[in-house]
Amino acid sequence: MHMKTGVEQSVYAILLLNMLPEKAVLPGEAISQQLNVSTSYFQKLLRKLVSADLISSVPGVKGGFKLKKKPEDICVYDIYLAIEGRQSLYSPSGILGDMLELEQEEDCCLLSDLMEEAETAWKSVMKRETIATLAEKMKEQRFLLKTETLKQWLQEKMVA
């Protein structure tokens, strides 16, 4: 399985928004610069996150983005769904059916049950981790100094 970088970028963008004071917003351009991604590309990700009701967009000169939900109510799987959609991670191609010349489509894959079980386990883990739990992990000693620098950057870039 390969997850697109847009999911990772979106998780970190939401973590940045989580660090904002309650009434503040952060411009999309500032987020994309911090994440070192193209602004036009990142605007597409932000629109997906807004459509999924995870973040809010505030229009205008003093506009930007902010969390729409509480951090404990946003799980990593929600972000994955917003960016990647609901398609299954595995789709059988019918190779076994062709090899054995099977006529019944439901008999054509030995991997379907295994892949469904793996996907269910993967979803469970992704649903368990929230923005709140990730934010707590950012308080670990190894991140503290850099997190303080990031907070200073947020103070400069946010619109209150």
Side-chain angles (χ1 to χ4, degrees), residues 3 59 93 101:
M3 188 182 313
S93 62
E101 299 177 4

Side-chain angles (χ1 to χ4, degrees), residues 16-159:
L16 283 173
L17 297 177
N18 183 58
M19 297 171 76
L20 292 172
E22 190 176 328
K23 304 261 184 201
V25 296
L26 190 60
E29 186 175 326
I31 302 170
S32 65
Q33 288 172 353
Q34 181 63 34
L35 298 176
N36 199 25
V37 296
S38 150
T39 301
S40 59
Y41 161 77
F42 197 69
Q43 289 294 334
K44 293 174 187 175
L45 295 179
L46 290 170
R47 281 195 294 274
K48 288 181 178 186
L49 296 171
V50 169
S51 292
D53 282 334
L54 300 176
I55 65 173
S56 296
S57 173
V58 177
V61 177
K62 292 188 174 189
F65 297 89
K66 63 182 181 177
L67 289 185
K68 188 169 185 177
K69 293 182 173 184
K70 295 177 185 174
E72 57 272 11
D73 293 336
I74 302 174
C75 65
V76 174
Y77 186 66
D78 295 332
I79 299 167
Y80 171 84
L81 287 179
I83 303 303
E84 295 282 343
R86 294 195 174 275
Q87 73 276 5
S88 179
L89 299 176
Y90 175 73
S91 179
S93 62
I95 294 172
L96 182 64
D98 291 344
M99 282 182 3
L100 300 178
E101 299 177 4
L102 299 173
E103 293 180 22
Q104 298 292 330
E105 196 170 307
E106 64 271 3
D107 295 335
C108 291
C109 186
L110 295 172
L111 296 176
S112 289
D113 290 342
L114 173 68
M115 294 302 187
E116 187 175 323
E117 182 181 349
E119 188 168 341
T120 299
W122 178 81
K123 285 179 186 178
S124 175
V125 170
M126 298 283 282
K127 288 176 181 178
R128 181 177 67 215
E129 199 75 37
T130 68
I131 292 301
T133 59
L134 291 175
E136 279 301 309
K137 290 178 182 179
M138 284 183 72
K139 294 178 183 175
E140 293 175 5
Q141 188 64 40
R142 61 188 171 141
F143 300 123
L144 278 182
L145 183 59
K146 294 297 182 178
T147 301
E148 289 305 314
T149 303
L150 189 58
K151 286 179 183 177
Q152 290 173 353
W153 173 85
L154 274 171
Q155 289 294 321
E156 295 169 9
K157 299 296 181 178
M158 72 180 185
V159 180

